[in-house]
Amino acid sequence: MASCPDCKKGCILPGEPKGNMVDGAYLAAGPGDTSRGIILLTDIFGLPLVNSKIIADRLADNLKCDVWVPDLFQGKPPITIDKLKTPEVVGEKINWPSFLWNIIPSIPAIFRNRPPVAYPRAATFVEKLRSEKKYGKLGAVGYCFGGSVGLIMASKDLLDSVVICHPGTPSKEEINAIKIPSSWACAEEDMAFKPETRRMAEELLATRKGKDNFVEYEFKDYKGTVHGFAARPRLDVPEAMAGFEGAMEQTIKWFDKTLV
């Protein structure tokens, strides 16, 4: 799993969650329509960071469906909220000694909970939802760590659509394995999902046009943003806040388009 300085940075969103915990997962309940459901795959801070719940509430309100936030880390996120730092802005130099000093203690937990390890937990959760809730279609939106998990899920027969926000570094094999429509929310500066990696992903999906394995896709770039902007925006930076709102709108429109 790729890690970058911005993985441990961000701001806490204002507001209080409106949903409830159900069997270890957070549920932002919709109006009762089971034609579709959404799974929100958290960043590395997991359920303890309130942001994922507040985002789930907004998605449920706008999409008029249930939004579930499973626990990808079995109650022990690799990075705890007390380690949350304010993110840099675009163009600001990284203090590498400070980053390395702070990330080293978290490396064993990050390794134990890398996306391929967390994926089976997410897959089991989705399979249970399909069995018990009988949703017609299921989509997932993943942020940072969750974006990498969502990418793995997109290659399996689990979901009908996915939104991937500033993930870790994917391989060509992972991109080529995508089976479902994908929407990508990309930061201007991202040490995990670098510009060349973002171009590679789009180019690989574009090569499928006119072929049997083509799947719909889109990439959107947000000026003035860094890794984590769609989940932990720096509230005092207008471009970062605009990027957060833009990614939210992108997610809503994508699911309205692909989960029908």
Side-chain angles (χ1 to χ4, degrees), residues 142-222:
Y143 300 89
C144 308
F145 179 95
S148 294
V149 176
L151 179 58
I152 298 173
M153 297 180 75
S155 68
K156 314 297 181 181
D157 296 317
L158 291 168
L159 303 170
D160 299 289
S161 182
V162 68
V163 177
I164 298 170
C165 301
H166 41 72
T169 305
S171 66
K172 290 183 179 180
E173 290 75 18
E174 287 176 316
I175 302 298
N176 284 329
I178 293 174
K179 293 182 176 182
I180 58 177
S182 61
S183 178
W184 303 68
C186 310
E188 179 179 353
E189 287 189 2
D190 192 334
M191 293 191 64
F193 193 59
K194 296 179 179 179
E196 57 267 29
T197 306
R198 177 234 180 277
R199 287 194 297 271
M200 176 269 290
E202 185 170 13
E203 288 168 0
L204 287 175
L205 291 170
T207 62
R208 302 194 202 179
K209 289 181 179 178
K211 300 178 181 178
D212 291 342
N213 66 341
F214 175 75
V215 286
E216 193 172 3
Y217 67 90
E218 68 174 9
F219 286 75
K220 293 193 176 185
D221 304 294
Y222 292 93

Side-chain angles (χ1 to χ4, degrees), residues 35-48:
S35 63
R36 62 184 179 183
I38 304 295
I39 297 95
L40 189 156
L41 303 167
T42 68
D43 62 15
I44 206 161
F45 293 93
L47 279 169

